[in-house]
Amino acid sequence: MSVQKPTYAQLQQRLAGAEATIQSLNIRSTEVSRMQEKLRSCDELCAVVETMNEGLGIQDRNGIVTYVNQQLCEMLGYSRDEFLGRRVIELIDEEYRDDFKERIAARRTGDATPYELVMTAKDGRKVAVLMAPRLLLDAEGRFQGSFALVTDIADRKRAERLEG
């Protein structure tokens, strides 16, 4: 059985195919590198969010908690699992719920004015907080929910009462 040597044209065709494969692999390698860089950036951002001094909470368009950072968990005494899937309104002190509903309605129109309210911790404690909200919109600009930085201002409130 004799093996036929490829012709020059066949070798050129194979070489062109190999070069196309290498080019494709180079493009994929570049894409993988970009995705790895994005993941590193995401990991860094997650580390910042999880270690910052303010609480951070995200709610969907229906007012359901979809994310909380560790600080917010500690602030209100709930585990992350106890937070997720709850309606935010359940965490607001009853006296402040109507105001909160008005703030959420205003937030849907783009109002991101910070405001104070009182939340109820798992153990029943009242926690005075400053909410700094922001809208979450989809690519078409439709309301998808919101997030807020939540700062415990109980110490500041106590100091104000002592001064006043």
Side-chain angles (χ1 to χ4, degrees):
M1 173 192 262
S2 69
V3 177
Q4 284 190 345
K5 290 184 178 180
T7 65
Y8 181 74
Q10 289 172 327
L11 287 174
Q12 279 187 313
Q13 191 175 20
R14 289 181 190 167
L15 180 59
E19 287 174 346
T21 299
I22 289 169
Q23 179 65 21
S24 175
L25 290 173
N26 284 338
I27 290 170
R28 288 186 185 134
S29 175
T30 301
E31 290 172 0
V32 167
S33 294
R34 284 186 195 136
M35 290 184 346
Q36 287 173 331
E37 183 60 35
K38 285 182 181 179
L39 284 173
R40 275 192 292 279
S41 295
C42 287
D43 287 345
E44 290 169 3
L45 180 59
C46 285
V48 168
V49 167
E50 285 301 320
T51 59
M52 65 187 195
N53 290 327
E54 277 73 35
L56 175 73
I58 300 175
Q59 67 176 347
D60 68 13
R61 73 175 71 105
N62 299 312
I64 304 297
V65 177
T66 60
Y67 175 82
V68 291
N69 71 350
Q70 187 58 39
Q71 181 62 25
L72 191 55
C73 291
E74 291 173 12
M75 191 183 301
L76 296 178
Y78 291 97
S79 71
R80 197 176 307 253
D81 287 340
E82 290 172 315
F83 257 118
L84 300 179
R86 291 185 76 160
R87 294 184 44 79
V88 175
I89 195 80
E90 297 170 17
L91 303 165
I92 306 301
D93 184 70
E94 286 194 33
E95 185 178 325
Y96 290 82
R97 287 185 181 177
D98 288 338
D99 182 49
F100 181 73
K101 289 175 187 175
E102 290 173 17
R103 299 288 185 158
I104 291 296
R107 191 177 308 172
R108 286 176 177 261
T109 66
D111 184 3
T113 306
Y115 56 94
E116 294 179 11
L117 60 81
V118 174
M119 298 182 81
T120 304
K122 183 178 180 178
D123 63 6
R125 285 179 300 114
K126 306 298 182 193
V127 181
V129 299
L130 175 66
M131 296 280 234
R134 292 291 179 268
L135 281 176
L136 293 173
L137 305 174
D138 66 13
E140 286 79 37
R142 293 183 300 247
F143 180 77
Q144 293 301 304
S146 61
F147 71 91
L149 287 178
V150 183
T151 305
D152 184 337
I153 58 171
D155 291 339
R156 188 186 92 196
K157 290 296 206 182
R158 275 191 288 279
E160 288 173 359
R161 281 192 299 272
L162 291 175
E163 291 175 1

